[in-house]
Amino acid sequence: MISIAGVGGGVGPHFDSYDASFLIQMSGRRQWCISKQKDLSLNPNLPLKILRNFRPEQVWILESGDMLYLSPHIAHDGIALDAGCQTWSVGFRAPSFKALLQEGLWRLAESLEEIPELDQKFSDPKQEAIHTPNQLPNQFFG
């Protein structure tokens, strides 16, 4: 996401739902207040997900070329200090083991479409037909 703001502009105190976020200051300066607060309740009277009780614990001023890393659910609020302030926010998600397995198995299944031999039905040509379906053949007990 690219955020462009004039002096004093910003989104308001919020948190991201990413597993890692990087705030890259592209132009101008922006003051970032951050907090590891546990209270992430939102203001119900606003159309955006703005924190109700933001309590900053640290303050950072990013200048062009600076970057701030935010771990998951770190509350933060950025205020532009210069006209034309531009910050790029890059968020990453770490997939769960389940999601990795699902995607991997799905890709494997799709790759099998290109092998026509796999369309053949399974059979055991060495197994003779039996006349007593309620009993296992004696050769199974070898």
Side-chain angles (χ1 to χ4, degrees):
M1 180 183 83
I2 299 174
S3 171
I4 301 172
V7 176
V11 174
H14 64 284
F15 65 92
D16 298 329
S17 296
Y18 293 106
D19 297 307
S21 294
F22 296 89
L23 303 172
I24 306 164
Q25 193 62 35
M26 300 305 288
S27 64
R29 296 173 304 138
R30 192 178 297 250
Q31 174 181 291
W32 288 99
C33 298
I34 64 172
S35 174
K36 293 181 181 178
Q37 68 187 55
K38 300 295 181 214
D39 178 8
L40 298 177
S41 59
L42 303 175
N43 185 333
N45 301 319
L46 297 174
L48 299 174
K49 293 182 177 182
I50 302 299
L51 291 169
R52 181 187 303 198
N53 301 309
F54 181 62
R55 292 179 307 280
E57 296 170 357
Q58 295 181 345
V59 177
W60 302 91
I61 294 179
L62 269 60
E63 297 184 15
S64 294
D66 289 344
M67 179 177 70
L68 178 63
Y69 164 76
L70 297 173
S71 53
H73 295 101
I74 294 295
H76 54 286
D77 184 22
I79 304 294
L81 300 177
D82 300 316
C85 177
Q86 185 179 122
T87 306
W88 292 13
S89 176
V90 181
F92 292 91
R93 291 213 183 261
S96 65
F97 286 113
K98 178 181 176 183
L100 284 173
L101 284 171
Q102 286 175 326
E103 183 66 24
L105 291 172
W106 179 257
R107 288 176 186 244
L108 174 64
E110 284 183 329
S111 73
L112 298 178
E113 294 293 324
E114 300 171 10
I115 306 173
E117 294 84 4
L118 293 178
D119 286 332
Q120 296 177 15
K121 303 290 184 202
F122 174 79
S123 65
D124 188 353
K126 294 182 181 178
Q127 173 62 47
E128 298 175 8
I130 57 172
H131 300 291
T132 54
N134 60 334
Q135 290 181 320
L136 291 174
N138 287 333
Q139 66 194 48
F140 280 13
F141 302 103

